[in-house]
Amino acid sequence: MLLFLDTADLEEIENGLDWGMVDGVTTNPSLIAKQGKSYLPTVKAIAEMVPGPVSGEVLATDREGMIDQGRRLADLAENVVVKVPLTPEGLVAVRTLTEEEIETNVTLCFSPAQAMLAAKAGATYISPFVGRLDDISEDGMGLIEDIVSMTDNYGFDTQVLVASVRHPQHIVQSVQLGAHVATLPFKILAQLYEHPLTTSGLDRFLADWQATGRSFDD
Ligand code: E4P
């Protein structure tokens, strides 16, 4: 199970890498806008920091524009994956980029039918947005189950990348369903470490030893 950080915040990425649990990063235009920095230089800076795949999204919506921006993103660094929206034009661009051996991440997937089309187009990753489906009272993790069984049934190489993660349970369920990757905000990565019994247990261990008045070496 690979864990990607869903952020364009360099400090968060640095912390996540320091903890040794971050296998890659995904960004999107909203996340980069939040940083108030230039687009391509931000993707480049992230790709230079992270040893694994870094998704940078195209801003064009027509095939020629997406192919051109995809090539420019891929030229930034070897680990850049081109993120393309799930539209007819987007999937045409994915086919061309795939033929050029450029890795792609098809984003804004909300149905098994859309995922099937992305897999047929040769996407390296398909990103179903579970949180945004839950937000409208649909079943985000049910979509992951459907897509994982589809990729298994047909032997598609496309990896299922669980996106729009809102809480640690989304990660636990992703593991149970056999998703290949999940991308999560830094806050949720930190939450994965937490359990109240871990905190209280550690406090108790340290307090008990401190009460003896002895040190580590004593
Ligand atoms: C995926 O790659 C997207 O960047 C992201 O997961 C969207 O999440 P949100 O629904 O929290 O914006």
Side-chain angles (χ1 to χ4, degrees):
M1 175 71 172
L2 297 178
L3 293 179
F4 292 177
L5 268 190
D6 195 28
T7 184
D9 182 326
L10 302 190
E11 206 175 311
E12 289 184 349
I13 294 169
E14 207 171 276
N15 286 342
L17 289 171
D18 179 55
W19 289 353
M21 290 293 166
V22 173
D23 302 298
V25 167
T26 54
T27 66
N28 64 38
S30 307
L31 291 170
I32 296 179
K34 208 164 114 186
Q35 296 306 308
K37 294 185 185 157
S38 308
Y39 202 79
L40 283 180
T42 301
V43 177
K44 189 173 163 62
I46 296 170
E48 280 168 0
M49 288 172 76
V50 178
V54 171
S55 290
E57 190 161 338
V58 296
L59 296 175
T61 53
D62 62 298
R63 67 183 74 179
E64 291 81 12
M66 285 190 264
I67 292 166
D68 176 56
Q69 291 184 354
R71 288 175 181 147
R72 290 175 59 198
L73 281 159
D75 278 347
L76 292 176
E78 273 190 9
N79 54 338
V80 170
V81 174
V82 178
K83 214 169 172 189
V84 176
L86 208 156
T87 61
E89 288 294 288
L91 295 189
V92 171
V94 166
R95 270 197 198 283
T96 302
L97 295 169
T98 302
E99 280 162 16
E100 296 177 13
E101 296 184 359
I102 293 173
E103 294 200 333
T104 56
N105 173 359
V106 174
T107 188
L108 292 166
C109 171
F110 295 96
S111 78
Q114 289 181 317
M116 182 266 294
L117 295 173
K120 277 176 68 68
T124 316
Y125 303 95
I126 178 69
S127 287
F129 278 34
V130 295
R132 292 194 196 185
L133 278 174
D134 291 352
D135 288 346
I136 58 161
S137 301
E138 289 199 21
D139 180 9
M141 293 315 297
L143 174 61
I144 300 303
E145 190 171 6
D146 289 344
I147 297 175
V148 168
S149 78
M150 178 197 73
T151 52
D152 288 352
N153 285 347
Y154 289 95
F156 283 126
D157 290 332
T158 304
Q159 297 185 51
V160 181
L161 194 169
V162 180
S164 186
V165 163
R166 296 270 195 269
H167 47 70
Q169 202 55 24
H170 276 150
I171 301 298
V172 174
Q173 289 173 304
S174 299
V175 172
Q176 288 166 341
L177 293 171
H180 305 91
V181 192
T183 187
L184 67 173
F186 181 79
K187 189 183 100 183
I188 300 188
L189 175 66
Q191 282 181 323
L192 292 181
Y193 287 82
E194 289 169 15
H195 193 285
L197 291 178
T198 305
T199 311
S200 61
L202 179 59
D203 288 348
R204 169 86 72 81
F205 285 153
L206 296 179
D208 285 348
W209 185 250
Q210 206 179 12
T212 68
R214 294 179 171 164
S215 71
F216 185 69
D217 296 303
D218 180 12

